[in-house]
Amino acid sequence: MKIDLTNTTSSKINAALMDARRASGSTAAGMVLTLVIVTDEGSAYDALKAANDASREHPSRTLAVIKRAGRSPRARAETRLDAEILVGTDAGSGETVVLRMHGELAAHAQSVVLPLLLPDAPVVVWWPDNAPLNPAQDPLGALAQRRITDAVTAESPVGQLAQRAAGYTPGDTDLAWTRITGWRSMLAAALDQRAVEIVGAVVEGESYNPSVELLGLWLHNRLRVPVERVVTGGPGITAVRLRTQDGDITLDRPDGLLGTLCMPGAPDRMVALKRRDTAELIAEELRRLDPDDIYATAVRTPVDRLRERIAGVEHAGPGGTVEGQARAAEPAAAAAPAEEAAETEEAAETEEAPEAAPAKKSAAKKSAARKRSGR
């Protein structure tokens, strides 16, 4: 069932939801939480599809907030709320309300959302992209017990981790962290099978992927060993190697579908390590509404703790980055041509005047004889 409301209010939306529920033969809500999605028109379809798929595991009321401030002064002066209500199979296992806020109302979205929250139910706010610097201080984020962002959609995904660490509040999480749940589970299970001492670790993955950085930071915090970050072509995380005295424990996934776990003294095993879609990630995050302390520890660790190198290139050196190695090599590279030029000039002088060599030797002998005689 689909209901369109133009120039409406929150009370009219609540009344329409109640009428739609009665028309479907169900007077009870039967939903466990309210999921607020803050997005734009371009990302609304994919975000709502993921939320509807996740609602089959977590029946919820989904409120999609789309802000339309307007480009012209007249459009910005017009304050209007349009709503699209989806109930039944169109909304998964819950209810979906798409709220389009025009004009100045876009700056006060919390006043529209607050009356539509399910009573006595947790609230989760999800920003598929363009998340605020401090989600907990955002007017909509302040209504929630759980706040979900996605660093991979930022212009600088790895730099976004520093902002997440600076503005972290208990209840914050990021889908870049959720994407490495399978890797963390497999590595923890591998270390539970045999007691070995880990002396180092290597995390391989594509560049500008915050999940690779978070996995390396998690290993650094839990194992207390140096972790090296190797840039590969992807997709996503491609391999993790744990250095031991007996050999490497390797979890390799070159194709993004199936992984191979290799341990010293044991046969190789194939493990399921498929890259998950957004609906699965959201469903996982909705399973827990308490603060994630492990994520907080990992995201607060500076990324420069990881030593980075390109696949096939040696360690970057004291700077810890390939760029640092390049800067260190510039003086040596500048000095090398000068030394080569000096050697070439000396060789050229010798070749041009070979007959002058005996004369120089004779002059040197006479000078030495005069010094001995005291002249």
Side-chain angles (χ1 to χ4, degrees):
M1 179 183 297
K2 179 179 177 181
I3 304 173
D4 289 326
L5 300 176
T6 304
N7 198 9
T8 185
T9 62
S10 298
S11 59
K12 293 180 180 179
I13 295 173
N14 264 324
L17 285 170
M18 184 64 69
D19 294 340
R21 198 178 304 134
R22 289 171 179 167
S24 62
S26 175
T27 56
M31 286 167 282
V32 298
L33 58 88
T34 302
L35 175 62
V36 180
I37 305 175
V38 186
T39 182
D40 53 22
E41 291 288 358
S43 305
Y45 175 81
D46 293 334
L48 286 172
K49 185 178 184 303
N52 290 342
D53 293 341
S55 70
R56 304 187 188 280
E57 181 179 345
H58 309 278
S60 59
R61 172 177 290 180
T62 302
L63 304 176
V65 177
I66 301 176
K67 300 179 181 181
R68 288 182 167 184
R71 298 181 179 179
S72 64
R74 181 177 180 180
R76 289 192 294 269
E78 181 185 10
T79 301
R80 190 176 82 249
L81 172 63
D82 298 335
E84 180 181 339
I85 301 174
L86 302 174
V87 180
T89 57
D90 295 333
S93 297
E95 302 171 343
T96 299
V97 182
V98 181
L99 303 170
R100 291 182 172 88
M101 305 178 187
H102 301 261
E104 295 183 0
L105 186 61
H108 305 280
Q110 71 279 5
S111 63
V112 178
V113 170
L114 186 60
L116 300 177
L117 301 179
L118 291 173
D120 302 325
V123 179
V124 179
V125 178
W126 172 33
W127 290 270
D129 48 21
N130 299 322
L133 296 180
N134 193 330
Q137 293 183 1
D138 183 83
L140 287 174
L143 302 176
Q145 289 79 34
R146 193 78 162 150
R147 295 163 293 275
I148 305 174
T149 57
D150 195 355
V152 77
T153 61
E155 184 176 353
S156 177
V158 178
Q160 192 76 1
L161 296 181
Q163 296 181 356
R164 294 287 163 261
Y168 176 81
T169 303
D172 292 353
T173 190
D174 198 280
L175 294 185
W177 172 256
T178 317
R179 291 184 180 95
I180 64 174
T181 300
W183 288 88
R184 294 189 292 122
S185 300
M186 290 294 178
L187 293 172
L191 294 180
D192 285 342
Q193 296 179 20
R194 53 188 305 175
V196 293
E197 181 182 358
I198 307 298
V199 297
V202 179
V203 180
E204 301 180 5
E206 62 186 355
S207 180
Y208 305 108
N209 190 319
S211 296
V212 184
E213 316 295 337
L214 284 175
L215 182 57
L217 297 175
W218 174 73
L219 290 172
H220 173 74
N221 288 320
R222 307 306 293 181
L223 300 177
R224 302 297 179 186
V225 297
V227 178
E228 183 180 354
R229 196 259 199 254
V230 179
V231 178
T232 63
I237 304 171
T238 54
V240 175
R241 309 181 192 281
L242 304 180
R243 308 291 191 191
T244 69
Q245 299 294 339
D246 300 331
D248 291 354
I249 299 175
T250 303
L251 183 57
D252 190 17
R253 189 196 64 178
D255 57 358
L257 296 175
L258 199 62
T260 304
L261 179 62
C262 306
M263 301 182 65
D268 296 350
R269 287 176 291 174
M270 308 300 291
V271 295
L273 207 57
K274 181 180 71 71
R275 302 187 74 189
R276 298 178 295 169
D277 57 19
T278 307
E280 295 178 271
L281 301 176
I282 290 296
E284 177 184 332
E285 285 299 334
L286 295 181
R287 292 183 197 130
R288 57 174 303 168
L289 300 176
D290 56 320
D292 193 341
D293 296 332
I294 301 177
Y295 163 74
T297 303
V299 77
R300 285 173 170 172
T301 304
V303 178
D304 56 10
R305 296 286 181 88
L306 306 180
R307 295 181 300 170
E308 181 178 349
R309 68 180 173 92
I310 307 297
V313 180
E314 294 299 328
H315 295 285
T321 61
V322 176
E323 291 78 7
Q325 185 185 28
R327 288 193 298 269
E330 285 178 0
E339 294 177 358
E340 293 177 1
E343 293 176 357
T344 304
E345 183 179 356
E346 182 179 355
E349 292 178 355
T350 305
E351 291 178 359
E352 290 176 0
E355 67 281 359
K360 290 182 179 179
K361 290 182 180 179
S362 178
K365 290 181 179 180
K366 290 180 181 180
S367 177
R370 283 197 297 269
K371 289 181 180 179
R372 286 195 299 270
S373 62
R375 295 181 182 179

